[in-house]
Amino acid sequence: MKIFIDESGDLGFGRSASKYFIIAAMIPHNELQIKRCFKKIRQNKLKKKMRELPELKYNNTNHEIKRRILQCIADSDVDIAYAVLRKDQVYPHLRNQNHIVYNYLTGSLISKIITHYNRDEPINVIIDKSLYGFHREHFNEYLLYKMMESGQNITICEDLVSIDHVDSKHNPSIQAVDFIAGAIHRKYREDDGEYYRIISNKTIIELDFFKGRQK
């Protein structure tokens, strides 16, 4: 099982910081469908200037491209899970510990996904390459710990778990999660579910810290 992870928003707490922070996950059951989505849209729907971009991201595309990509994701055999952090509820002593908050949110979401599927199989977590050095090592160790404690009727073996930090420019599935995270963030940030409604029926897990429904 592959689990692709990306985020939207920031973990700052200044005046210009976002009010919400989103961790999104996509679990593709046929990853080739996602690759075809981006290839087709690049070839047939983008102007030359856009085709020359190294990658498509939620923040560098217009309304029509966002809608097409999200619809293509919705038409693919994927599941979506996400965690949303309401930052005004974060304890003051954690507001300068971004890596701890990030690790906790991601670990909680991955743990919930593994519990949902409850299958004894290799697990590959793929995340955009944004963590380095100590923070990456600590993230990997914490994520592995959360994954191994998440099993209900199965035992997660360390040998079956891999965590890869990849360059999103070369990974359409990571790019897809960027659009998913962007659509979810817009739903909360602007109270606008236009984009999220396209993919909502693919959502299997919603973790709302610390308010609302836990799906």
Side-chain angles (χ1 to χ4, degrees):
M1 174 171 65
K2 289 186 176 182
I3 305 172
F4 292 89
I5 300 287
D6 203 4
E7 74 269 0
S8 181
D10 61 76
L11 282 172
F13 289 89
R15 289 184 178 180
S16 61
S18 58
K19 293 182 179 180
Y20 303 95
F21 182 71
I22 307 296
I23 299 283
M26 181 184 72
I27 305 94
H29 305 292
N30 183 349
E31 194 178 354
L32 183 59
Q33 292 175 328
I34 298 298
K35 294 178 180 178
R36 286 172 175 166
C37 281
F38 281 82
K39 183 177 181 180
K40 182 178 179 180
I41 289 170
R42 269 189 174 279
Q43 290 178 341
N44 301 334
K45 304 301 178 183
L46 296 183
K47 295 180 180 179
K48 182 180 178 180
K49 183 178 179 180
M50 290 292 293
R51 286 200 300 270
E52 292 174 351
L53 289 173
E55 66 178 309
L56 297 181
K57 296 183 71 67
Y58 180 88
N59 289 330
N60 72 10
T61 53
N62 61 31
H63 167 78
E64 183 60 20
I65 298 303
K66 287 184 176 71
R67 190 191 65 77
R68 287 182 179 277
I69 287 176
L70 290 167
Q71 186 60 59
C72 199
I73 293 170
D75 292 337
S76 301
D77 187 8
V78 304
D79 291 328
I80 290 170
Y82 72 85
V84 53
L85 175 68
R86 298 168 183 268
K87 288 163 55 179
D88 61 350
Q89 297 181 356
V90 174
Y91 293 123
H93 70 277
L94 289 175
R95 295 189 176 191
N96 62 348
Q97 302 288 334
N98 291 359
H99 65 286
I100 293 177
V101 175
Y102 181 85
N103 291 356
Y104 175 75
L105 291 174
T106 309
S108 298
L109 183 60
I110 295 293
S111 178
K112 192 79 170 178
I113 291 169
I114 292 172
T115 300
H116 173 84
Y117 287 103
N118 201 29
R119 297 199 302 243
D120 187 5
E121 63 178 305
I123 300 168
N124 183 201
V125 177
I126 304 103
I127 187 166
D128 192 12
K129 187 168 63 176
S130 58
L131 299 174
Y132 298 92
F134 166 77
H135 290 313
R136 180 184 293 190
E137 183 178 347
H138 189 262
F139 171 85
N140 288 354
E141 290 175 353
Y142 182 78
L143 198 60
L144 180 60
Y145 159 74
K146 291 294 288 184
M147 292 166 76
M148 294 183 71
E149 75 164 8
S150 66
Q152 299 294 312
N153 301 317
I154 59 172
T155 301
I156 303 297
C157 174
E158 185 173 351
D159 293 339
L160 294 178
V161 173
S162 58
I163 303 169
D164 295 322
H165 299 256
V166 304
D167 187 342
S168 59
K169 293 184 180 67
H170 308 299
N171 195 302
S173 293
I174 288 290
Q175 295 177 40
V177 188
D178 172 73
F179 279 84
I180 292 168
I184 295 167
H185 197 185
R186 179 180 175 127
K187 168 189 170 185
Y188 287 91
R189 182 185 67 244
E190 300 178 23
D191 193 24
D192 181 354
E194 177 185 4
Y195 293 140
Y196 177 68
R197 281 191 291 271
I198 299 172
I199 55 173
S200 61
N201 67 328
K202 294 292 183 175
T203 302
I204 59 169
I205 294 168
E206 300 169 359
L207 293 180
D208 193 334
F209 297 93
F210 300 90
K211 178 182 178 182
R213 180 164 60 101
Q214 307 290 306
K215 179 176 178 180

